[in-house]
Amino acid sequence: MRSIVGRSRVGHSKVGRSKVGTYSLTAAAVMIVAATVVATTSSSPDPTALEPQTTLGAQVGARGAALPAWYGAAPYLTDPDNPPDLTAIMAATGQKTFTLPFVLAATSGGCTPTWNGDRPIVDGAVRRLVDTVRGAGGDVVVSFGGFGGAKLGQSCPTPQATADAYQQVVDAYQVRAVDFDLEAPGYESSSALANEVGAAQLLRQRNPGLYVSITTAGTTAGTGGFGQQILNLAKSMGFVPDNFTIMAFDNGFTGDRAQIAALETFHGILMTTFDWDSATAYAHEGVLGMNGRTDAGEVFTQADFRSVLTYALRNRLGRFTFWAVDRDRPCDPLQPGPGCSDVPQSPWEFTGFTARFGNQDAAAVLPGAQPARPPAPARPPATTRTTPPRPNPGGSARAGCSALPWNATNPYVGGTVVAYNGHAWTAKWWNQGEVPGANPDNVWVDNGPCAGSGRPVATCTAAAWDPNGTYVRGDTVTHAGRTWTAKWWTRGDEPGANQQGAWADDGPCTAR
């Protein structure tokens, strides 16, 4: 079965052996490209003339009015011939968008766009997939390039010709958002890279409101010479896409701490390169992660995703996404394969995090829209999980706290009952790390007081919370006579008195 991803990608790898070495563009190449982009004009169909379907575009008006965060939160899909049930994922998590990779040049040669190098752009499987997502109220992002294969920037002679090829995709599917996944190998030629960045600028000019992201390799130092080359080229053209995104995996990353450190370094690179202030740099920064175990042996858990998501929301990053939604499900121990995460999980847990990022400002834009719910993955088959306890009828108080104490690291599905701070609580939907009675999403129903909470008083042995300190997941502090554990990266969030719910309450403690 053919895949959009490309046959060179074994298992569940996206990036593989990405090169991050230094490439140089000559001054002449930059001048030629910049002159071509400025001088080029092109007519295209009226971008607002969209069919009145029940799509993301129809919900919020003409093209360009859709929420940028929805497009910035679109996880990648790997195979349109055998995708998971996207409508079920959307219903379970609130996810609105998905990214379809990859548009490449035809393997037979020439400046012709194809899926994966060997499938025509007007493809029945892709059309059905796009129609399905839009019919459910969502939309798609189309990604150009990727790891391996012949790039259009290599095969097309100029930025204008490259943009003409990509425009065929935009027109065929009425695309409102595109991603330029610029990875080595493929751009050792300075003109090939200039063609791609120039085409990105031309597409934006031809299609007002088109969402454009540029994705490249990330390193523990933010990005390498290749990524810096892309930034320099965009600056020389006077082109600013919606975001520059780094792939924070497969290059020596060890969990959320390394990813956040790299994002902070990349933030500084953006500020220096474009002379931006801090807020502007964050707004044009994105992160692409990988759920579960990568081909390089790195492991990124739900806790890692939550920590990076908190960082992205707090700093208002422009993009938070991952590779890939196909892998967002548990592996079958009897038939392991590439279509799973290889970490313990319920289906679609990682997609729940992108849904939360994508819906962060929906209530401010869509009339009558509600704030996004936290991740709410579909339940696995009953054969693999017992039915959770149901709420008490009418929410009446329990005589005793017979349920297990709430644990900040445990995931809970809707209907699960826990004991916390002398009350019994029932989960409304899937959640993790949401403190009963003290979370902005109100995911717990208070069933009333009960006797005992299973939380003994301990000694305050942790250091006092410092309002100027920076904490990462797992750090423990003492504050207001209680012990608290950081659930993700946090700074300036007072334990027990912040809307982010960044601290897990470990219960009361007494001074020595």
Side-chain angles (χ1 to χ4, degrees):
M1 184 174 292
R2 294 181 295 180
S3 168
I4 281 182
V5 182
R7 300 185 182 88
S8 63
R9 298 190 180 188
V10 180
H12 51 246
S13 170
K14 175 182 186 294
V15 182
R17 299 162 297 282
S18 295
K19 298 181 181 178
V20 293
T22 302
Y23 298 84
S24 62
L25 287 170
T26 65
V30 171
M31 291 176 63
I32 291 172
V33 173
T36 302
V37 171
V38 171
T40 299
T41 58
S42 174
S43 61
S44 61
D46 179 2
T48 65
L50 302 180
E51 296 181 7
Q53 303 174 19
T54 306
T55 65
L56 179 149
Q59 287 176 322
V60 297
R63 169 190 270 169
L67 297 178
W70 273 342
Y71 291 128
Y76 289 75
L77 184 70
T78 63
D79 187 357
D81 289 330
N82 187 32
D85 187 342
L86 297 184
T87 57
I89 296 174
M90 295 169 72
T93 66
Q95 182 65 40
K96 296 292 185 182
T97 49
F98 301 91
T99 299
L100 307 182
F102 284 106
V103 174
L104 295 167
T107 54
S108 57
C111 185
T112 302
T114 66
W115 294 111
N116 195 45
D118 57 6
R119 300 176 62 160
I121 282 301
V122 181
D123 180 84
V126 176
R127 170 60 68 188
R128 288 189 293 273
L129 200 62
V130 172
D131 290 345
T132 295
V133 173
R134 287 180 174 168
D139 205 359
V140 299
V141 180
V142 174
S143 186
F144 308 141
F147 179 80
K151 314 298 193 299
L152 281 165
Q154 295 174 300
S155 303
C156 300
T158 64
Q160 180 178 357
T162 308
D164 289 342
Y166 289 137
Q167 186 68 46
Q168 296 179 46
V169 186
V170 173
D171 292 341
Y173 296 96
Q174 295 184 333
V175 174
R176 304 175 183 88
V178 298
D179 167 49
F180 283 77
D181 191 323
L182 305 180
E183 304 179 41
Y187 298 109
E188 286 79 358
S189 166
S190 60
S191 61
L193 188 61
N195 285 345
E196 295 285 358
V197 179
Q201 184 177 30
L202 284 169
L203 282 184
R204 170 71 66 72
Q205 293 173 352
R206 296 177 181 182
N207 305 275
L210 182 71
Y211 179 98
V212 179
S213 62
I214 291 182
T215 303
T216 192
T219 71
T220 53
T223 189
F226 180 69
Q228 184 66 63
Q229 193 70 31
I230 293 172
L231 301 181
N232 292 343
L233 181 57
K235 180 181 179 181
S236 72
M237 295 179 179
F239 172 55
V240 178
D242 286 85
N243 61 75
F244 295 98
T245 295
I246 58 171
M247 294 175 284
F249 61 94
D250 271 3
N251 267 322
F253 293 93
T254 52
D256 55 347
R257 295 190 184 200
Q259 291 176 313
I260 291 172
L263 287 167
E264 275 292 282
T265 303
F266 188 56
H267 170 246
I269 292 173
L270 291 175
M271 292 176 65
T272 300
T273 301
F274 293 96
D275 194 25
W276 286 337
D277 60 28
S278 180
T280 302
Y282 278 132
H284 289 89
E285 181 177 8
V287 57
L288 168 61
M290 186 170 182
N291 57 317
R293 187 179 302 277
T294 75
D295 62 327
E298 303 163 344
V299 176
F300 299 101
T301 65
Q302 298 91 324
D304 293 316
F305 265 59
R306 178 180 286 277
S307 184
V308 177
L309 170 62
T310 301
Y311 172 88
L313 291 174
R314 180 171 303 283
N315 294 297
R316 297 187 175 276
L317 263 61
R319 192 171 179 222
F320 174 88
T321 187
F322 72 98
W323 180 279
V325 69
D326 309 61
R327 302 180 62 251
D328 191 11
R329 44 193 167 189
C331 294
D332 184 340
L334 300 179
Q335 294 181 325
C340 58
S341 66
D342 203 19
V343 297
Q345 70 160 103
S346 298
W348 326 131
E349 284 191 57
F350 291 95
T351 306
F353 294 113
T354 55
R356 190 166 187 173
F357 182 86
N359 286 291
Q360 60 184 295
D361 54 357
V365 178
L366 297 181
Q370 297 298 318
R373 297 195 319 186
R379 297 184 186 180
T383 55
T384 61
R385 174 173 291 181
T386 58
T387 301
R390 304 306 302 171
N392 246 10
S396 58
R398 290 171 175 261
C401 292
S402 58
L404 292 175
W406 173 80
N407 188 314
T409 62
N410 288 348
Y412 297 100
V413 296
T416 303
V417 179
V418 299
Y420 182 75
N421 277 355
H423 282 236
W425 305 81
T426 300
K428 296 181 184 177
W429 52 72
W430 187 96
N431 74 92
Q432 184 180 34
E434 302 286 357
V435 182
N439 67 88
D441 299 297
N442 193 28
V443 302
W444 293 96
V445 174
D446 187 351
N447 296 330
C450 55
S453 65
R455 191 178 294 276
V457 176
T459 303
C460 297
T461 57
W465 172 74
D466 180 358
N468 297 315
T470 297
Y471 301 94
V472 296
R473 178 168 55 89
D475 287 347
T476 302
V477 300
T478 297
H479 183 66
R482 307 181 77 85
T483 301
W484 307 81
T485 300
K487 293 186 286 185
W488 48 72
W489 181 94
T490 177
R491 181 174 58 207
D493 291 315
E494 181 180 358
N498 69 90
Q499 293 184 344
Q500 301 296 329
W503 294 94
D505 186 352
D506 296 329
C509 58
T510 59
R512 296 183 186 183

